[in-house]
Every structure is written in C-alpha cells, then in structure tokens.
mmCIF file of all heavy atoms in Angstrom:
data_model
loop_
_atom_site.group_PDB
_atom_site.id
_atom_site.type_symbol
_atom_site.label_atom_id
_atom_site.label_comp_id
_atom_site.label_asym_id
_atom_site.label_seq_id
_atom_site.Cartn_x
_atom_site.Cartn_y
_atom_site.Cartn_z
ATOM 1 N N LEU M 25 116.092 99.835 81.302
ATOM 2 C CA LEU M 25 116.060 99.176 82.606
ATOM 3 C C LEU M 25 114.792 98.362 82.779
ATOM 4 O O LEU M 25 114.830 97.260 83.345
ATOM 5 C CB LEU M 25 116.226 100.181 83.747
ATOM 6 C CG LEU M 25 117.606 100.812 83.864
ATOM 7 C CD1 LEU M 25 117.592 101.902 84.928
ATOM 8 C CD2 LEU M 25 118.640 99.766 84.185
ATOM 9 N N GLY M 26 113.672 98.877 82.309
ATOM 10 C CA GLY M 26 112.420 98.095 82.388
ATOM 11 C C GLY M 26 112.492 96.833 81.546
ATOM 12 O O GLY M 26 112.060 95.765 81.996
ATOM 13 N N GLY M 27 113.029 96.944 80.343
ATOM 14 C CA GLY M 27 113.198 95.785 79.509
ATOM 15 C C GLY M 27 114.163 94.762 80.080
ATOM 16 O O GLY M 27 113.917 93.578 80.026
ATOM 17 N N GLY M 28 115.242 95.262 80.657
ATOM 18 C CA GLY M 28 116.192 94.368 81.301
ATOM 19 C C GLY M 28 115.626 93.659 82.496
ATOM 20 O O GLY M 28 115.844 92.469 82.709
ATOM 21 N N GLY M 29 114.845 94.362 83.318
ATOM 22 C CA GLY M 29 114.190 93.754 84.450
ATOM 23 C C GLY M 29 113.182 92.701 84.038
ATOM 24 O O GLY M 29 113.087 91.641 84.631
ATOM 25 N N PHE M 30 112.411 93.003 82.988
ATOM 26 C CA PHE M 30 111.466 92.032 82.473
ATOM 27 C C PHE M 30 112.161 90.760 81.983
ATOM 28 O O PHE M 30 111.753 89.649 82.291
ATOM 29 C CB PHE M 30 110.597 92.617 81.347
ATOM 30 C CG PHE M 30 109.742 91.622 80.680
ATOM 31 C CD1 PHE M 30 108.566 91.175 81.267
ATOM 32 C CD2 PHE M 30 110.107 91.083 79.435
ATOM 33 C CE1 PHE M 30 107.775 90.249 80.653
ATOM 34 C CE2 PHE M 30 109.283 90.143 78.810
ATOM 35 C CZ PHE M 30 108.134 89.718 79.431
ATOM 36 N N TYR M 31 113.244 90.958 81.226
ATOM 37 C CA TYR M 31 113.990 89.812 80.721
ATOM 38 C C TYR M 31 114.552 88.961 81.863
ATOM 39 O O TYR M 31 114.490 87.733 81.821
ATOM 40 C CB TYR M 31 115.085 90.269 79.769
ATOM 41 C CG TYR M 31 115.958 89.089 79.303
ATOM 42 C CD1 TYR M 31 115.464 88.211 78.355
ATOM 43 C CD2 TYR M 31 117.223 88.866 79.855
ATOM 44 C CE1 TYR M 31 116.223 87.131 77.959
ATOM 45 C CE2 TYR M 31 117.980 87.785 79.460
ATOM 46 C CZ TYR M 31 117.478 86.929 78.488
ATOM 47 O OH TYR M 31 118.214 85.828 78.105
ATOM 48 N N ALA M 32 115.103 89.629 82.861
ATOM 49 C CA ALA M 32 115.702 88.908 83.982
ATOM 50 C C ALA M 32 114.626 88.091 84.740
ATOM 51 O O ALA M 32 114.857 86.952 85.129
ATOM 52 C CB ALA M 32 116.409 89.884 84.917
ATOM 53 N N ALA M 33 113.453 88.673 84.914
ATOM 54 C CA ALA M 33 112.392 87.969 85.616
ATOM 55 C C ALA M 33 111.807 86.859 84.766
ATOM 56 O O ALA M 33 111.541 85.745 85.230
ATOM 57 C CB ALA M 33 111.293 88.954 86.017
ATOM 58 N N TYR M 34 111.638 87.108 83.486
ATOM 59 C CA TYR M 34 111.032 86.132 82.578
ATOM 60 C C TYR M 34 111.929 84.955 82.325
ATOM 61 O O TYR M 34 111.498 83.815 82.235
ATOM 62 C CB TYR M 34 110.661 86.821 81.261
ATOM 63 C CG TYR M 34 109.897 85.949 80.341
ATOM 64 C CD1 TYR M 34 108.545 85.663 80.561
ATOM 65 C CD2 TYR M 34 110.484 85.376 79.202
ATOM 66 C CE1 TYR M 34 107.813 84.863 79.710
ATOM 67 C CE2 TYR M 34 109.776 84.565 78.358
ATOM 68 C CZ TYR M 34 108.433 84.330 78.601
ATOM 69 O OH TYR M 34 107.725 83.525 77.756
ATOM 70 N N SER M 35 113.231 85.188 82.221
ATOM 71 C CA SER M 35 114.171 84.090 81.912
ATOM 72 C C SER M 35 114.556 83.287 83.148
ATOM 73 O O SER M 35 115.177 82.246 83.002
ATOM 74 C CB SER M 35 115.411 84.670 81.260
ATOM 75 O OG SER M 35 116.127 85.465 82.180
ATOM 76 N N GLY M 36 114.198 83.741 84.330
ATOM 77 C CA GLY M 36 114.495 82.971 85.518
ATOM 78 C C GLY M 36 115.777 83.421 86.226
ATOM 79 O O GLY M 36 116.203 82.765 87.162
ATOM 80 N N LEU M 37 116.372 84.500 85.791
ATOM 81 C CA LEU M 37 117.577 85.010 86.451
ATOM 82 C C LEU M 37 117.246 85.477 87.864
ATOM 83 O O LEU M 37 118.047 85.433 88.770
ATOM 84 C CB LEU M 37 118.211 86.105 85.646
ATOM 85 C CG LEU M 37 118.806 85.688 84.296
ATOM 86 C CD1 LEU M 37 119.291 86.924 83.511
ATOM 87 C CD2 LEU M 37 119.906 84.692 84.463
ATOM 88 N N ILE M 38 116.010 85.954 88.063
ATOM 89 C CA ILE M 38 115.559 86.372 89.375
ATOM 90 C C ILE M 38 114.654 85.234 89.872
ATOM 91 O O ILE M 38 113.636 84.925 89.241
ATOM 92 C CB ILE M 38 114.786 87.718 89.299
ATOM 93 C CG1 ILE M 38 115.705 88.808 88.791
ATOM 94 C CG2 ILE M 38 114.207 88.052 90.669
ATOM 95 C CD1 ILE M 38 114.984 90.125 88.582
ATOM 96 N N PRO M 39 114.951 84.595 90.991
ATOM 97 C CA PRO M 39 114.197 83.401 91.424
ATOM 98 C C PRO M 39 112.706 83.634 91.626
ATOM 99 O O PRO M 39 111.907 82.767 91.347
ATOM 100 C CB PRO M 39 114.851 82.990 92.727
ATOM 101 C CG PRO M 39 116.168 83.671 92.756
ATOM 102 C CD PRO M 39 116.065 84.891 91.870
ATOM 103 N N ALA M 40 112.309 84.797 92.134
ATOM 104 C CA ALA M 40 110.899 85.048 92.371
ATOM 105 C C ALA M 40 110.229 85.698 91.164
ATOM 106 O O ALA M 40 109.194 86.309 91.297
ATOM 107 C CB ALA M 40 110.742 85.945 93.593
ATOM 108 N N GLY M 41 110.808 85.531 90.031
ATOM 109 C CA GLY M 41 110.329 86.161 88.817
ATOM 110 C C GLY M 41 109.095 85.550 88.242
ATOM 111 O O GLY M 41 108.284 84.979 88.935
ATOM 112 N N GLY M 42 108.952 85.669 86.941
ATOM 113 C CA GLY M 42 107.731 85.366 86.201
ATOM 114 C C GLY M 42 107.243 83.945 86.329
ATOM 115 O O GLY M 42 106.060 83.718 86.231
ATOM 116 N N HIS M 43 108.059 82.947 86.501
ATOM 117 C CA HIS M 43 107.584 81.577 86.524
ATOM 118 C C HIS M 43 107.510 81.072 87.954
ATOM 119 O O HIS M 43 108.481 81.151 88.681
ATOM 120 C CB HIS M 43 108.522 80.646 85.719
ATOM 121 C CG HIS M 43 108.655 81.053 84.263
ATOM 122 N ND1 HIS M 43 107.591 81.320 83.500
ATOM 123 C CD2 HIS M 43 109.757 81.237 83.489
ATOM 124 C CE1 HIS M 43 107.996 81.644 82.266
ATOM 125 N NE2 HIS M 43 109.313 81.595 82.251
ATOM 126 N N ALA M 44 106.389 80.525 88.315
ATOM 127 C CA ALA M 44 106.226 79.952 89.650
ATOM 128 C C ALA M 44 106.848 78.544 89.642
ATOM 129 O O ALA M 44 106.711 77.807 88.693
ATOM 130 C CB ALA M 44 104.755 79.872 90.061
ATOM 131 N N ALA M 45 107.483 78.232 90.706
ATOM 132 C CA ALA M 45 108.105 76.889 90.804
ATOM 133 C C ALA M 45 106.994 75.844 90.968
ATOM 134 O O ALA M 45 106.056 76.040 91.728
ATOM 135 C CB ALA M 45 109.053 76.842 91.992
ATOM 136 N N ALA M 46 107.127 74.766 90.264
ATOM 137 C CA ALA M 46 106.153 73.689 90.334
ATOM 138 C C ALA M 46 106.325 72.971 91.678
ATOM 139 O O ALA M 46 107.442 72.776 92.134
ATOM 140 C CB ALA M 46 106.330 72.731 89.176
ATOM 141 N N PRO M 47 105.231 72.579 92.312
ATOM 142 C CA PRO M 47 105.370 71.856 93.566
ATOM 143 C C PRO M 47 106.065 70.509 93.366
ATOM 144 O O PRO M 47 105.819 69.795 92.395
ATOM 145 C CB PRO M 47 103.934 71.649 94.045
ATOM 146 C CG PRO M 47 103.039 72.180 93.003
ATOM 147 C CD PRO M 47 103.868 72.779 91.957
ATOM 148 N N THR M 48 106.934 70.194 94.274
ATOM 149 C CA THR M 48 107.706 68.948 94.191
ATOM 150 C C THR M 48 107.235 67.989 95.263
ATOM 151 O O THR M 48 106.482 68.380 96.159
ATOM 152 C CB THR M 48 109.197 69.218 94.309
ATOM 153 O OG1 THR M 48 109.442 69.800 95.593
ATOM 154 C CG2 THR M 48 109.687 70.154 93.218
ATOM 155 N N SER M 49 107.745 66.775 95.222
ATOM 156 C CA SER M 49 107.343 65.819 96.247
ATOM 157 C C SER M 49 107.970 66.194 97.603
ATOM 158 O O SER M 49 107.485 65.774 98.622
ATOM 159 C CB SER M 49 107.827 64.432 95.831
ATOM 160 O OG SER M 49 109.232 64.384 95.700
ATOM 161 N N GLU M 50 109.053 66.974 97.570
ATOM 162 C CA GLU M 50 109.658 67.405 98.830
ATOM 163 C C GLU M 50 108.879 68.515 99.509
ATOM 164 O O GLU M 50 109.080 68.844 100.658
ATOM 165 C CB GLU M 50 111.095 67.898 98.627
ATOM 166 C CG GLU M 50 112.076 66.830 98.189
ATOM 167 C CD GLU M 50 112.182 66.723 96.674
ATOM 168 O OE1 GLU M 50 111.697 67.611 95.992
ATOM 169 O OE2 GLU M 50 112.751 65.767 96.208
ATOM 170 N N ASP M 51 107.943 69.131 98.755
ATOM 171 C CA ASP M 51 107.173 70.221 99.313
ATOM 172 C C ASP M 51 106.186 69.681 100.328
ATOM 173 O O ASP M 51 105.266 68.967 99.994
ATOM 174 C CB ASP M 51 106.430 70.962 98.200
ATOM 175 C CG ASP M 51 105.764 72.231 98.669
ATOM 176 O OD1 ASP M 51 106.120 72.750 99.753
ATOM 177 O OD2 ASP M 51 104.888 72.704 97.952
ATOM 178 N N THR M 52 106.411 70.001 101.592
ATOM 179 C CA THR M 52 105.565 69.455 102.666
ATOM 180 C C THR M 52 104.631 70.508 103.215
ATOM 181 O O THR M 52 104.122 70.343 104.341
ATOM 182 C CB THR M 52 106.476 68.918 103.785
ATOM 183 O OG1 THR M 52 107.284 69.989 104.262
ATOM 184 C CG2 THR M 52 107.315 67.763 103.296
ATOM 185 N N ALA M 53 104.396 71.581 102.490
ATOM 186 C CA ALA M 53 103.524 72.641 102.998
ATOM 187 C C ALA M 53 102.101 72.140 103.199
ATOM 188 O O ALA M 53 101.408 72.548 104.099
ATOM 189 C CB ALA M 53 103.533 73.828 102.050
ATOM 190 N N PHE M 54 101.646 71.210 102.355
ATOM 191 C CA PHE M 54 100.292 70.705 102.465
ATOM 192 C C PHE M 54 100.244 69.309 102.995
ATOM 193 O O PHE M 54 99.167 68.721 103.115
ATOM 194 C CB PHE M 54 99.604 70.788 101.111
ATOM 195 C CG PHE M 54 99.497 72.187 100.585
ATOM 196 C CD1 PHE M 54 100.261 72.617 99.514
ATOM 197 C CD2 PHE M 54 98.644 73.088 101.172
ATOM 198 C CE1 PHE M 54 100.135 73.909 99.050
ATOM 199 C CE2 PHE M 54 98.527 74.367 100.730
ATOM 200 C CZ PHE M 54 99.288 74.784 99.653
ATOM 201 N N ALA M 55 101.379 68.742 103.314
ATOM 202 C CA ALA M 55 101.390 67.360 103.787
ATOM 203 C C ALA M 55 100.823 67.211 105.194
ATOM 204 O O ALA M 55 100.296 66.154 105.542
ATOM 205 C CB ALA M 55 102.801 66.808 103.761
ATOM 206 N N ASP M 56 100.912 68.245 105.986
ATOM 207 C CA ASP M 56 100.465 68.135 107.353
ATOM 208 C C ASP M 56 99.054 68.707 107.567
ATOM 209 O O ASP M 56 98.654 69.013 108.682
ATOM 210 C CB ASP M 56 101.446 68.846 108.289
ATOM 211 C CG ASP M 56 101.575 70.319 108.014
ATOM 212 O OD1 ASP M 56 101.167 70.752 106.904
ATOM 213 O OD2 ASP M 56 102.074 71.054 108.890
ATOM 214 N N ILE M 57 98.256 68.819 106.502
ATOM 215 C CA ILE M 57 96.903 69.339 106.597
ATOM 216 C C ILE M 57 95.901 68.179 106.426
ATOM 217 O O ILE M 57 96.081 67.304 105.588
ATOM 218 C CB ILE M 57 96.629 70.386 105.492
ATOM 219 C CG1 ILE M 57 97.472 71.636 105.770
ATOM 220 C CG2 ILE M 57 95.141 70.752 105.478
ATOM 221 C CD1 ILE M 57 97.324 72.656 104.695
ATOM 222 N N ALA M 58 94.890 68.196 107.246
ATOM 223 C CA ALA M 58 93.805 67.219 107.150
ATOM 224 C C ALA M 58 92.478 67.983 107.200
ATOM 225 O O ALA M 58 92.402 69.060 107.788
ATOM 226 C CB ALA M 58 93.865 66.201 108.251
ATOM 227 N N PHE M 59 91.487 67.446 106.565
ATOM 228 C CA PHE M 59 90.164 68.043 106.577
ATOM 229 C C PHE M 59 89.212 67.146 107.327
ATOM 230 O O PHE M 59 89.083 65.967 107.015
ATOM 231 C CB PHE M 59 89.665 68.310 105.133
ATOM 232 C CG PHE M 59 90.498 69.318 104.425
ATOM 233 C CD1 PHE M 59 91.503 68.911 103.554
ATOM 234 C CD2 PHE M 59 90.296 70.676 104.611
ATOM 235 C CE1 PHE M 59 92.278 69.822 102.897
ATOM 236 C CE2 PHE M 59 91.051 71.579 103.967
ATOM 237 C CZ PHE M 59 92.060 71.181 103.099
ATOM 238 N N LEU M 60 88.544 67.726 108.301
ATOM 239 C CA LEU M 60 87.636 66.982 109.137
ATOM 240 C C LEU M 60 86.189 67.464 108.831
ATOM 241 O O LEU M 60 85.825 68.562 109.161
ATOM 242 C CB LEU M 60 87.958 67.248 110.612
ATOM 243 C CG LEU M 60 87.135 66.538 111.652
ATOM 244 C CD1 LEU M 60 87.428 65.052 111.577
ATOM 245 C CD2 LEU M 60 87.459 67.077 113.033
ATOM 246 N N PRO M 61 85.427 66.595 108.172
ATOM 247 C CA PRO M 61 84.048 67.003 107.835
ATOM 248 C C PRO M 61 83.163 67.050 109.077
ATOM 249 O O PRO M 61 83.276 66.192 109.957
ATOM 250 C CB PRO M 61 83.571 65.949 106.849
ATOM 251 C CG PRO M 61 84.429 64.755 107.115
ATOM 252 C CD PRO M 61 85.744 65.279 107.651
ATOM 253 N N LEU M 62 82.330 68.078 109.134
ATOM 254 C CA LEU M 62 81.354 68.182 110.217
ATOM 255 C C LEU M 62 80.011 67.690 109.706
ATOM 256 O O LEU M 62 79.693 67.782 108.542
ATOM 257 C CB LEU M 62 81.222 69.646 110.663
ATOM 258 C CG LEU M 62 82.465 70.283 111.252
ATOM 259 C CD1 LEU M 62 82.217 71.751 111.514
ATOM 260 C CD2 LEU M 62 82.894 69.567 112.539
ATOM 261 N N ASP M 63 79.218 67.145 110.618
ATOM 262 C CA ASP M 63 77.899 66.687 110.254
ATOM 263 C C ASP M 63 77.049 67.891 109.782
ATOM 264 O O ASP M 63 77.170 68.975 110.376
ATOM 265 C CB ASP M 63 77.220 66.018 111.466
ATOM 266 C CG ASP M 63 77.991 64.807 111.948
ATOM 267 O OD1 ASP M 63 78.711 64.199 111.105
ATOM 268 O OD2 ASP M 63 77.891 64.516 113.144
ATOM 269 N N PRO M 64 76.221 67.725 108.763
ATOM 270 C CA PRO M 64 75.369 68.820 108.325
ATOM 271 C C PRO M 64 74.376 69.218 109.430
ATOM 272 O O PRO M 64 73.874 68.402 110.189
ATOM 273 C CB PRO M 64 74.598 68.241 107.136
ATOM 274 C CG PRO M 64 75.377 67.054 106.717
ATOM 275 C CD PRO M 64 76.088 66.527 107.924
ATOM 276 N N LEU M 65 74.154 70.534 109.520
ATOM 277 C CA LEU M 65 73.216 71.080 110.484
ATOM 278 C C LEU M 65 72.013 71.650 109.755
ATOM 279 O O LEU M 65 72.162 72.281 108.701
ATOM 280 C CB LEU M 65 73.871 72.207 111.272
ATOM 281 C CG LEU M 65 75.087 71.878 112.138
ATOM 282 C CD1 LEU M 65 75.694 73.164 112.691
ATOM 283 C CD2 LEU M 65 74.711 70.943 113.258
ATOM 284 N N ILE M 66 70.834 71.430 110.290
ATOM 285 C CA ILE M 66 69.601 72.054 109.795
ATOM 286 C C ILE M 66 69.073 72.886 110.939
ATOM 287 O O ILE M 66 68.733 72.352 111.996
ATOM 288 C CB ILE M 66 68.599 71.009 109.292
ATOM 289 C CG1 ILE M 66 69.194 70.241 108.142
ATOM 290 C CG2 ILE M 66 67.307 71.713 108.878
ATOM 291 C CD1 ILE M 66 68.335 69.145 107.608
ATOM 292 N N ILE M 67 69.072 74.194 110.743
ATOM 293 C CA ILE M 67 68.721 75.110 111.799
ATOM 294 C C ILE M 67 67.444 75.861 111.446
ATOM 295 O O ILE M 67 67.343 76.434 110.354
ATOM 296 C CB ILE M 67 69.872 76.136 112.013
ATOM 297 C CG1 ILE M 67 71.129 75.372 112.495
ATOM 298 C CG2 ILE M 67 69.512 77.187 113.037
ATOM 299 C CD1 ILE M 67 72.286 75.578 111.611
ATOM 300 N N SER M 68 66.475 75.867 112.350
ATOM 301 C CA SER M 68 65.266 76.689 112.129
ATOM 302 C C SER M 68 65.670 78.135 112.451
ATOM 303 O O SER M 68 66.372 78.390 113.431
ATOM 304 C CB SER M 68 64.113 76.224 113.003
ATOM 305 O OG SER M 68 64.441 76.377 114.369
ATOM 306 N N LEU M 69 65.181 79.045 111.667
ATOM 307 C CA LEU M 69 65.652 80.446 111.793
ATOM 308 C C LEU M 69 64.843 81.298 112.700
ATOM 309 O O LEU M 69 65.016 82.501 112.742
ATOM 310 C CB LEU M 69 65.711 81.056 110.371
ATOM 311 C CG LEU M 69 66.736 80.402 109.458
ATOM 312 C CD1 LEU M 69 66.640 81.003 108.079
ATOM 313 C CD2 LEU M 69 68.144 80.516 110.010
ATOM 314 N N GLY M 70 63.964 80.729 113.471
ATOM 315 C CA GLY M 70 63.260 81.513 114.476
ATOM 316 C C GLY M 70 61.802 81.747 114.103
ATOM 317 O O GLY M 70 61.346 81.447 112.993
ATOM 318 N N ALA M 71 61.066 82.354 115.041
ATOM 319 C CA ALA M 71 59.638 82.539 114.872
ATOM 320 C C ALA M 71 59.339 83.559 113.779
ATOM 321 O O ALA M 71 58.375 83.411 113.046
ATOM 322 C CB ALA M 71 59.027 82.988 116.190
#
C-alpha cells in the first residue's frame, strides 16, 4: 500500500501529489499584489 500510494502520487494520479503545478498565465493569485516602498528612516536610539 505504501508503494502504491507513492506511485499514485509520483505519477500524478493524485492531483496534490509529488509534482507541483507550474504557475500559468491564468493564475491571478499574485496579479493583484503591489509593493509600495516606504522612505528609509534613520532613527536615533535614545540617550
């Protein structure tokens, strides 16, 4: 059963198995993210 489970995951019979799906152009998980840089701060640390 362990060998069969490994084979099923490795060969792609189980979708969430061993190989991660490559990101496609339809993948919009990161399309709606923007990075806003903040101005550098120089802070004196006290007396």
Side-chain angles (χ1 to χ4, degrees):
L25 289 174
F30 172 77
Y31 175 74
Y34 186 75
S35 66
L37 294 174
I38 299 175
H43 301 312
T48 61
S49 61
E50 293 92 12
D51 188 18
T52 59
F54 298 110
D56 61 343
I57 293 177
F59 294 98
L60 182 66
L62 297 176
D63 299 333
L65 298 173
I66 298 177
I67 296 122
S68 64
L69 295 176

